[in-house]
Amino acid sequence: MVDSFEKAPKTELDWAAIEEKWKKRWADDRIFETNPQSDKKKYFLTVAYPYPNSPQHVGHGRTYTLADVHARYKRMNNYNVLFPMGFHYTGTPIVSMSQRIKSNDKELIETFQKIYKIPGDVISNFKEPKKIASYFHQEIKQGMNEMGYSIDWRREFTTIDKGYSKFISWQFRNLKKKGLIVQGSHPVGWCPQDQNPVSQHDTIGDIEPELIEYVLVKFKFEDQYVVPTATLRPETIFGVTNLWINPDIKYVIAQVNNEKWIITKEAARKMEFLNAAVTLISEISGSDLIGKYVFDEKRKQQVPMFPASFVDPDNGTGIVMSVPAHAPYDYQALIDLRKDYETLRKYNITANVDPIKIIQTDAFSSNESSAAETIVTSYSIKDQNDPKLEDATNKLYSEEFHNGKLLPHIDEIGNLSVVEAREIIKTKIISQGIGTIMYELKNSVKCRCGTPCVVKLLTNQWFINYGDENWKKMSNELIDNMEILPEEIRQEFTNVVDWLKERACARKSGLGTKLPWDNEWIIESLADSVIYMAYYPLSRYISNNQELQKDEDKLLADNMTDNFFDYVLLGKNDPDVVAAESKISVQLLEKIKNEFEYFYPVDSRHSGRDLVPNHLSFFIFNHVAIFPKEKWPKQIVVNGSVLMEGKKMSKSLGNIIPLRHAIEEYGADSIRLTMLASSEILQDSDFSFDLVKGIRAKLFDIYRNIHSHLDIFRVQSNVDEDLEDVWMSSRLQNVIMETTSAIDKFRIREALHNILYRMDNDLEWYEKRKLAKNKSIFNNYLKEFFEIRIKLLAPFAPYFCEEVWEIMGNASYISSAQWPEINQSKIALMSEDNEKLIQSIIFDIQKITKVTKMVPKKISIYTASNIKCTLYRKILGRIQSQTTPNFGQIMKEFVNDDQVKDLVKRNPDLVKKIIDDILSESVEVRERRMKIDSFNEIIPLDDGKSLLVREVGNNNLEVNIYSEDDNDKYDPKQKSRFARPYKPAIYIE
Ligand SMILES: [Zn+2]
């Protein structure tokens, strides 16, 4: 398991010592403890609190690290940032874990020992659920501290603290008063072993159970038995030609309530969980049914039973009604059966039934053949095992659902749309006793205890009614008004709000808060974690103990009442009354209320993408239910998960790397950067040891580079303004601008690319230019470069940046430093083209000398004539003002343009070439060049001579630069006429 863990190569920095040093200083100086500050804008940022049933591994770290980067970035942008953390103890997983320890579960114990390195005596304590929770709580907290998260730990709580329970009770009484909690019978995902509803948190692989609702259509068999078939399309009962029975499986005859059903054993079990009274009577083989008839009570006619091996005993009732005119599978199975003479002979059947058309659509009703036949033919399907049948089925079902109408002659539902007909038939057959509802799981889901889940019809269960239309409307209003990053995830939220229905909100077991009005129930974990962000501003004032120290500014959890929460969180009630009731001073009450008022609403909520369909959506719902608009959250940030060397992390693959282990080996900053640099936010990021090593080496390079230039931070150097200085200064403004806007939109990979790599390219060029001129780079430009770089990097690699910031001579924390601001006066548009021109001329010359293998003695460079530059500007203008530049049109215009017509007529190719030149540049470059009135190429070319000489490698090289317009130019081969703007002509001897 730990085999895949790679040891880190040595570098000269003692990363562990650096982390230790700064962690201690931050804690000693309490720089991340945040109190209300009336003169400063607040920023309240939260991330889904961890569930302490294991230590965090590298995969967990991404969401928290992103949130911490966000917190640090906002802090550097002058916000009073609150970033708190709590621990979610609620629910059954920790309890079932303790049961597994009690029963000496080898697999679990091995995981604890081998992956997480937990000592044996600690594991033996794990028989008690709270011991598990508090052990991993401390473990996770340590890891968060080691990662350098800038958390205000004074506000820490667990969800089984007494104060928190008071808060959750208040939330639930509030929801109930608003009619949003209902009691009733609803189907839920269920673990038969634990006797509890299951949702995503309780299942292996964190899969949300998805329910499917079938209508069972009951056919009569031999007057005394019911043969039920499960369908999603009850209206197609009018097109049934036969039933499909699997000849190879055993069916059972079972007493189901007051009827005798023929179904599979699996179906009988499912019916039990749906609260039917089920008793098995006897078995009957599928082959015994084949060839016999059932009676269709709807149409009053006999329907034969045919054999089909595709019938799955665990799907529905294990018996399928066949509608060959409208179901591609049924159609194909019938065709296959007609050709299978052996089977026909065996059961003495003919299979000569005709498909019965009942639905018409524009797409499939144009000819004689049925819709199913038409689509099966058009997909060239071979037989019933053809995988294309699935696509054909989806296509036809969707078409008929959206555009289908029942044929006019169909009883009761003729001419109606499929959607209308379906509802009517469903209601009718149920009321006539020839239909009923059956639920099952759409996906195969296992409980964390290993038991396959089922659908249970829970009676007297408590539900949060997310199906409430008005509630959905308000939730959509919040979604429309909040920022969701990345934006592409917004639609997912709207979809969830659409389909959410009643959701079970209480369990009979597990840790957590009891339902305040029904003590048999415990509020489940996705219901007690939706508005808890409101508890953070209060939590540091609450004491969960029985007694208070005299000088403490706190209140006892026992004394918190609904009136207290109503006053502090909603501004209701009289403060004097509330203070007296809570046994605190009015001053303390007001202080707590002000703290909530100051920090709320949540400015940003971070979470993994897997929580969109549940936690994050419930967070939205519950906020709009409980709080007034001004307290609704402002932003949600969603990130993808983490792969390990391209693979999903799993115990079976042995690629789970505990976070603290990775930190110990590679250092927190390298781990932080690796989690964030490998992908954009919504994609899964790929953690690999090569990447960590590469990033660590990069950080060390940065350190070494700064370390070898430390004098610039101590000595004021005189300031030249060479072209490359102006350029460097301008580039820095650009890097600040682009990195800032990337972080604002959480395009973190792009931001890190700028800081780690693009800045190096700039520095390399700058050094080259200085070196060629024999000038020192120990100057203020380099100093500024280093300062900006370290500041931009600080939210991502906080330990490293504190250390470097200190050796640069700063006494303050970089964690509290000011984010670099853009200095407009330093933006020099032309400097980009200056350096680009020097770069490209050197590149072109090197290319020529490489091909010709000559060592140049003399180089002549010719810049384009003024009139060519005028033409260039005209063409650029035309291209920028048009969406699709039309060459013919541009030509026509220019042959009539007095200014350039001579040039264009003399040199017709030139326009085409310039258009190509311009189009090969980025939009950004084009826009920049539009802003520049005139560009004298001779200046940069002249300035870059020294570098050119150096790069060509001949110290006696003679370089001359001429304008094409220059009458005295040296141009023996008439090369100058090939010069174009930004593309000087070259003559090498
Ligand atoms: Zn279970």
Side-chain angles (χ1 to χ4, degrees):
M1 331 202 115
V2 206
D3 305 339
S4 60
F5 191 85
E6 279 183 50
K7 289 268 176 195
K10 290 271 167 285
T11 57
E12 292 159 54
L13 271 182
D14 186 346
W15 302 89
I18 292 173
E19 285 169 20
E20 227 20 73
K21 167 178 160 188
W22 292 104
K23 210 164 58 187
K24 184 166 185 313
R25 288 206 197 165
W26 291 337
D28 288 350
D29 288 345
R30 304 166 150 212
I31 63 168
F32 303 128
E33 292 182 1
T34 311
N35 294 333
Q37 239 178 292
S38 54
D39 56 340
K40 222 173 161 186
K41 264 185 89 174
K42 65 94 186 182
Y43 198 84
F44 182 27
L45 164 144
T46 66
V47 56
Y49 48 23
Y51 188 74
N53 67 342
S54 62
Q56 293 200 303
H57 57 67
V58 165
H60 292 117
R62 187 179 182 196
T63 310
Y64 296 100
T65 303
L66 256 175
D68 184 59
V69 167
H70 192 183
R72 288 174 172 278
Y73 170 69
K74 284 289 177 186
R75 213 173 273 122
M76 291 179 77
N77 279 282
N78 285 332
Y79 285 91
N80 190 26
V81 174
L82 176 58
F83 178 29
M85 191 63 62
F87 290 84
H88 199 194
Y89 283 26
T90 311
T92 52
I94 290 174
V95 176
S96 48
M97 205 171 231
S98 71
Q99 276 155 0
R100 284 173 70 187
I101 295 288
K102 264 188 223 157
S103 62
N104 225 349
D105 185 314
K106 283 223 172 65
E107 194 197 327
L108 183 64
I109 293 174
E110 208 180 276
T111 302
F112 283 161
Q113 285 173 333
K114 293 214 172 137
I115 300 184
Y116 299 133
K117 315 265 186 240
I118 303 170
D121 54 325
V122 175
I123 297 177
S124 60
N125 275 333
F126 283 0
K127 287 169 190 151
E128 209 184 306
K130 281 181 198 170
K131 288 258 164 72
I132 300 184
S134 68
Y135 177 82
F136 290 122
H137 172 160
Q138 293 312 322
E139 181 74 17
I140 293 169
K141 185 176 173 182
Q142 289 276 6
M144 287 178 164
N145 274 325
E146 284 163 10
M147 281 294 275
Y149 297 158
S150 53
I151 292 168
D152 180 352
W153 285 111
R154 296 172 306 160
R155 300 167 187 277
E156 178 186 2
F157 59 81
T158 86
T159 59
I160 59 167
D161 290 352
K162 198 181 280 168
Y164 191 80
S165 281
K166 292 264 182 177
F167 169 67
I168 296 302
S169 302
W170 170 80
Q171 176 203 345
F172 266 73
R173 273 194 284 261
N174 227 314
L175 291 172
K176 189 149 185 279
K177 261 187 256 165
K178 291 173 195 269
L180 299 172
I181 306 270
V182 292
Q183 195 177 26
S185 299
H186 290 278
V188 297
W190 178 261
C191 171
Q193 170 71 30
D194 301 339
Q195 295 282 309
N196 248 327
V198 284
S199 55
Q200 191 189 27
H201 280 183
D202 313 300
T203 62
I204 293 175
D206 288 322
I207 302 165
E208 179 77 30
E210 281 183 70
L211 274 48
I212 179 165
E213 182 190 293
Y214 281 125
V215 176
L216 291 192
V217 179
K218 297 175 183 176
F219 294 86
K220 264 271 153 62
F221 179 59
E222 293 178 347
D223 287 337
Q224 51 170 329
Y225 301 113
V226 167
V227 176
T229 62
T231 180
L232 293 168
R233 309 201 297 165
E235 73 285 3
T236 60
I237 185 173
F238 291 98
V240 171
T241 58
N242 61 286
L243 303 190
W244 296 115
I245 300 279
N246 191 328
D248 303 323
I249 60 177
K250 285 264 184 235
Y251 290 82
V252 295
I253 296 175
Q255 184 75 36
V256 176
N257 298 330
N258 47 15
E259 294 168 336
K260 289 188 175 64
W261 286 17
I262 298 177
I263 45 177
T264 59
K265 213 178 201 164
E266 291 85 347
R269 182 168 180 264
K270 281 183 251 176
M271 290 307 296
E272 270 185 87
F273 287 108
L274 298 176
N275 297 340
V278 179
T279 325
L280 299 189
I281 300 170
S282 60
E283 284 193 341
I284 180 167
S285 154
S287 55
D288 288 345
L289 294 167
I290 289 163
K292 295 181 178 159
Y293 285 79
V294 290
F295 186 68
D296 166 7
E297 294 184 285
K298 189 77 200 160
R299 290 175 300 171
K300 309 285 180 218
Q301 63 184 50
Q302 299 285 340
V303 174
M305 291 184 274
F306 291 159
S309 54
F310 70 77
V311 175
D312 174 359
D314 203 17
N315 194 338
T317 57
I319 299 167
V320 174
M321 65 184 209
S322 166
V323 188
H326 298 285
Y329 272 104
D330 294 337
Y331 173 79
Q332 189 60 45
L334 205 54
I335 297 291
D336 292 353
L337 179 60
R338 281 181 193 156
K339 288 186 274 190
D340 184 356
Y341 300 111
E342 200 184 321
T343 301
L344 292 176
R345 207 171 314 122
K346 183 175 170 193
Y347 296 108
N348 194 20
I349 51 176
T350 58
N352 278 341
V353 290
D354 287 324
I356 304 165
K357 290 199 236 178
I358 58 159
I359 298 164
Q360 58 180 357
T361 55
D362 291 342
F364 291 106
S365 306
S366 51
N367 55 19
E368 277 302 292
S369 10
S370 70
E373 183 182 349
T374 309
I375 198 161
V376 161
T377 312
S378 77
Y379 275 68
S380 315
I381 281 157
K382 288 194 289 293
D383 58 34
Q384 60 189 296
N385 300 317
D386 195 325
K388 282 181 298 200
L389 263 177
E390 190 69 36
D391 296 339
T393 301
N394 290 337
K395 175 112 200 286
L396 179 57
Y397 281 18
S398 158
E399 176 64 27
E400 291 189 338
F401 180 76
H402 293 291
N403 307 316
K405 252 172 76 174
L406 276 292
L407 290 174
H409 68 270
I410 310 283
D411 280 352
E412 303 165 37
I413 50 173
N415 285 322
L416 293 182
S417 73
V418 164
V419 179
E420 291 167 302
R422 185 165 297 174
E423 271 316 300
I424 290 174
I425 290 299
K426 176 177 151 186
T427 314
K428 275 209 167 157
I429 63 174
I430 291 174
S431 71
Q432 290 163 350
I434 54 176
T436 186
I437 298 290
M438 178 194 202
Y439 299 96
E440 68 179 36
L441 286 178
K442 203 172 176 179
N443 45 358
S444 140
V445 182
K446 275 188 178 169
C447 173
R448 279 188 196 272
C449 74
T451 311
C453 299
V454 295
V455 179
K456 165 98 177 150
L457 194 64
L458 270 191
T459 47
N460 297 323
Q461 163 73 23
W462 292 100
F463 293 87
I464 300 189
N465 187 11
Y466 289 128
D468 185 286
E469 283 309 319
N470 190 41
W471 201 3
K472 283 180 193 281
K473 223 168 90 190
M474 283 167 74
S475 302
N476 274 324
E477 187 187 334
L478 170 52
I479 291 171
D480 289 346
N481 286 302
M482 83 195 304
E483 187 176 19
I484 294 179
L485 290 175
E487 179 60 36
E488 60 204 278
I489 205 92
R490 185 182 297 277
Q491 185 61 42
E492 259 180 55
F493 280 100
T494 317
N495 294 346
V496 175
V497 170
D498 243 21
W499 60 250
L500 266 182
K501 288 206 171 72
E502 298 89 351
R503 189 171 186 291
C505 62
R507 303 278 164 90
K508 293 271 177 158
S509 66
L511 300 174
T513 302
K514 287 182 172 158
L515 255 194
W517 58 86
D518 189 348
N519 275 330
E520 275 178 45
W521 296 91
I522 292 160
I523 295 166
E524 65 90 48
S525 64
L526 281 162
D528 84 339
S529 56
V530 286
I531 57 162
Y532 69 87
M533 312 79 202
Y535 192 72
Y536 284 125
L538 286 53
S539 62
R540 71 185 179 107
Y541 294 104
I542 297 166
S543 166
N544 293 298
N545 298 323
Q546 292 303 314
E547 282 172 48
L548 295 178
Q549 305 287 335
K550 274 218 177 72
D551 52 352
E552 264 184 323
D553 214 3
K554 290 201 172 183
L555 82 159
L556 281 178
D558 276 334
N559 296 336
M560 290 196 291
T561 59
D562 281 3
N563 284 337
F564 169 83
F565 290 110
D566 278 342
Y567 180 68
V568 172
L569 304 178
L570 302 177
K572 291 179 192 167
N573 299 331
D574 180 88
D576 292 320
V577 176
V578 172
E581 204 180 78
S582 315
K583 302 192 174 66
I584 52 170
S585 65
V586 176
Q587 280 134 304
L588 178 56
L589 180 67
E590 291 301 335
K591 196 173 170 191
I592 298 172
K593 183 175 194 295
N594 287 340
E595 187 139 346
F596 172 76
E597 293 284 339
Y598 177 80
F599 284 116
Y600 233 65
V602 170
D603 293 287
S604 183
R605 175 77 177 156
H606 280 256
S607 167
R609 183 179 194 168
D610 54 329
L611 298 190
V612 172
N614 43 60
H615 165 72
L616 285 173
S617 294
F618 305 155
F619 162 74
I620 290 169
F621 268 93
N622 282 270
H623 267 88
V624 303
I626 303 274
F627 293 104
K629 265 184 203 169
E630 64 272 16
K631 295 283 187 279
W632 290 2
K634 302 277 185 218
Q635 181 191 62
I636 283 177
V637 182
V638 176
N639 62 271
S641 60
V642 180
L643 302 175
M644 177 59 76
E645 312 270 359
K647 295 196 186 78
K648 221 179 152 151
M649 284 186 216
S650 79
K651 265 181 242 158
S652 57
L653 290 173
N655 61 357
I656 293 181
I657 310 291
L659 189 59
R660 297 188 64 194
H661 191 174
I663 299 169
E664 199 184 324
E665 195 60 33
Y666 286 93
D669 288 331
S670 305
I671 305 282
R672 289 170 65 111
L673 289 170
T674 306
M675 281 169 179
L676 304 180
S678 82
S679 71
E680 285 308 348
I681 183 162
L682 208 51
Q683 299 167 328
D684 288 343
S685 78
D686 193 3
F687 191 93
S688 78
F689 288 105
D690 281 345
L691 190 56
V692 191
K693 279 184 263 184
I695 281 182
R696 206 170 74 133
K698 183 89 211 172
L699 289 180
F700 184 61
D701 276 351
I702 294 174
Y703 177 85
R704 203 167 36 192
N705 197 5
I706 292 177
H707 200 264
S708 59
H709 292 97
L710 281 183
D711 283 351
I712 54 176
F713 301 105
R714 308 196 189 347
V715 186
Q716 187 70 28
S717 71
N718 57 331
V719 183
D720 290 350
E721 269 228 329
D722 278 352
L723 286 191
E724 67 276 8
D725 298 325
V726 177
W727 171 80
M728 178 52 112
S729 212
S730 178
R731 284 294 280 182
L732 285 175
Q733 305 313 310
N734 184 274
V735 102
I736 297 170
M737 197 152 54
E738 293 195 352
T739 307
T740 305
S741 99
I743 299 177
D744 282 335
K745 290 287 169 206
F746 278 87
R747 294 195 311 263
I748 300 298
R749 175 160 76 165
E750 183 184 323
L752 284 175
H753 180 86
N754 284 342
I755 303 164
L756 292 178
Y757 304 104
R758 184 185 130 178
M759 287 189 86
D760 266 350
N761 296 341
D762 289 355
L763 182 60
E764 202 182 309
W765 177 253
Y766 181 71
E767 285 180 324
K768 261 191 192 176
R769 292 266 282 138
K770 281 284 179 228
L771 211 61
K773 291 179 177 177
N774 281 322
K775 289 193 173 181
S776 164
I777 58 160
F778 281 80
N779 60 29
N780 280 340
Y781 298 100
L782 190 67
K783 179 180 166 194
E784 197 188 4
F785 174 92
F786 287 144
E787 279 170 352
I788 287 174
R789 187 176 209 184
I790 291 303
K791 281 185 175 176
L792 295 178
L793 188 58
F796 302 97
Y799 292 120
F800 174 80
C801 292
E802 289 289 11
E803 184 70 13
V804 174
W805 191 240
E806 190 184 51
I807 64 164
M808 281 159 74
N810 298 290
S812 57
Y813 290 109
I814 197 155
S815 298
S816 324
Q818 169 76 43
W819 189 252
E821 269 177 33
I822 295 161
N823 184 338
Q824 292 292 343
S825 70
K826 288 184 176 175
I827 299 175
L829 291 178
M830 215 183 287
S831 69
E832 287 287 337
D833 282 319
N834 283 343
E835 301 302 314
K836 210 177 151 180
L837 191 63
I838 299 170
Q839 244 163 11
S840 68
I841 203 84
I842 293 174
F843 180 78
D844 288 347
I845 289 170
Q846 283 175 329
K847 214 164 66 181
I848 298 169
T849 55
K850 214 172 178 183
V851 174
T852 57
K853 297 207 171 69
M854 65 192 291
V855 180
K857 295 187 187 68
K858 182 172 174 177
I859 295 178
S860 308
I861 299 171
Y862 310 96
T863 65
S865 61
N866 282 335
I867 189 69
K868 281 182 184 169
C869 294
T870 306
L871 179 65
Y872 184 95
R873 292 201 55 74
K874 280 177 189 263
I875 295 175
L876 180 61
R878 293 290 281 112
I879 288 177
Q880 289 302 86
S881 63
Q882 276 177 322
T883 38
T884 41
N886 177 325
F887 173 67
Q889 211 181 342
I890 294 177
M891 258 326 254
K892 211 187 223 169
E893 227 169 88
F894 290 154
V895 291
N896 292 317
D897 182 326
D898 284 342
Q899 219 179 349
V900 294
K901 66 181 178 193
D902 292 342
L903 173 66
V904 171
K905 283 177 188 163
R906 202 169 58 228
N907 194 348
D909 273 358
L910 186 62
V911 174
K912 177 88 181 71
K913 281 189 177 140
I914 290 178
I915 289 176
D916 289 345
D917 287 346
I918 292 172
L919 292 180
S920 73
E921 295 292 354
S922 68
V923 177
E924 204 192 334
V925 171
R926 287 183 229 163
E927 275 169 9
R928 189 181 67 221
R929 285 185 184 165
M930 274 299 285
K931 290 184 199 150
I932 299 168
D933 288 333
S934 69
F935 180 50
N936 184 353
E937 295 176 28
I938 293 183
I939 296 171
L941 288 173
D942 202 45
D943 195 73
K945 255 190 205 174
S946 53
L947 185 58
L948 173 59
V949 170
R950 202 184 172 89
E951 295 283 311
V952 167
N954 172 8
N955 284 339
N956 300 318
L957 179 71
E958 183 187 340
V959 181
N960 294 303
I961 298 154
Y962 307 98
S963 160
E964 188 184 352
D965 290 331
D966 185 351
N967 290 328
D968 302 329
K969 63 183 174 293
Y970 167 77
D971 190 8
K973 294 274 154 89
Q974 268 142 45
K975 291 275 186 186
S976 65
R977 65 199 161 98
F978 299 118
R980 298 200 300 280
Y982 299 98
K983 302 248 182 245
I986 304 163
Y987 177 52
I988 304 179
E989 291 167 86

